[in-house]
Amino acid sequence: GIDGLKRDMQEIGLGNLLESFDVDAPARGIWGRPDDFEGLVVSSPKHGIPILISRQRHSDSVLRRVSRGTDLWFQAREGRGSRVLLRTSMRRNLSKSPRECMEVAAAYAAFFSDSGSQRRRSHRGRGGDESSGVDVMWTDSRHVAKRGGRVGQLKDAKKLGIIQADPWTVAQ
């Protein structure tokens, strides 16, 4: 739950972010954030592309509504996890998503997934292997469920590719 996530963030050195983050009052006016989106918004390091990270099973319809042609969706292949939208369409000078930005978005999808959480816990417990990754599927908006109970979900058959993502890169 949320307590476990807070504990994980503190243990990997992100506790200072918790002090300034108010879940009940999401920041408005952040470039790339839709008005009705309540998830996390970060920018890709090199190109400053907005990356929207929804809570598990929340905001899927919002992400679906705001995604455009060059935007890409990311979701861990196994287990449950957050949907992540790389909003490349907001950078009109880019005709496609740069690979390094895709890797960052995939790392967030891995970090906020059941698989990434398990790997972080096992890493702490054993001194483990930081190279163990999470399979993250990615696709464009045309391949994301549009209606029904699966709105916003990526289906394995509709993926455009898989990125082996390391959830530890988010902490770094």
Side-chain angles (χ1 to χ4, degrees):
I2 191 77
D3 292 331
L5 182 58
K6 286 179 182 177
R7 196 171 35 258
D8 287 349
M9 288 180 73
Q10 288 170 340
E11 289 179 13
I12 61 174
L14 296 176
N16 59 333
L17 290 177
L18 288 173
E19 295 171 12
S20 63
F21 185 73
D22 184 358
V23 175
D24 297 323
R28 300 289 180 218
I30 294 175
W31 185 69
R33 174 189 289 282
D35 287 336
D36 51 350
F37 182 70
E38 296 182 2
L40 181 62
V41 178
V42 297
S43 293
S44 65
K46 186 173 180 180
H47 296 279
I49 299 171
I51 300 172
L52 276 56
I53 306 159
S54 72
R55 297 178 187 177
Q56 286 188 7
R57 299 186 179 260
H58 287 72
S59 303
D60 291 343
S61 60
V62 173
L63 293 180
R64 177 82 182 97
R65 181 177 43 78
V66 301
S67 67
R68 300 290 179 258
T70 55
D71 294 347
L72 295 177
W73 288 67
F74 297 82
Q75 176 183 319
R77 190 173 190 186
E78 299 294 323
R80 294 179 340 152
S82 295
R83 311 297 190 272
V84 175
L85 181 65
L86 179 63
R87 295 191 75 187
T88 308
S89 64
M90 298 206 60
R91 288 283 185 204
R92 297 193 193 282
N93 61 324
L94 297 173
S95 60
K96 65 179 189 169
S97 298
R99 181 66 183 188
E100 60 269 16
C101 298
M102 292 172 63
E103 290 171 355
V104 170
Y108 277 105
F111 187 85
F112 290 106
S113 72
D114 291 346
S115 301
S117 177
Q118 289 169 358
R119 282 180 174 76
R120 290 191 310 274
R121 280 194 301 274
S122 67
H123 174 78
R124 277 198 316 268
R126 295 191 317 248
D129 176 13
E130 289 190 33
S131 66
S132 63
V134 174
D135 284 343
V136 176
M137 302 182 295
W138 62 274
T139 194
D140 62 18
S141 299
R142 295 172 299 176
H143 295 102
V144 176
K146 296 175 183 153
R147 33 183 114 61
R150 299 182 58 86
V151 170
Q153 290 187 359
L154 282 65
K155 296 180 182 175
D156 196 51
K158 299 287 187 173
K159 70 184 179 300
L160 294 178
I162 293 179
I163 295 176
Q164 185 77 27
D166 181 0
W168 281 99
T169 60
V170 171
Q172 295 168 346

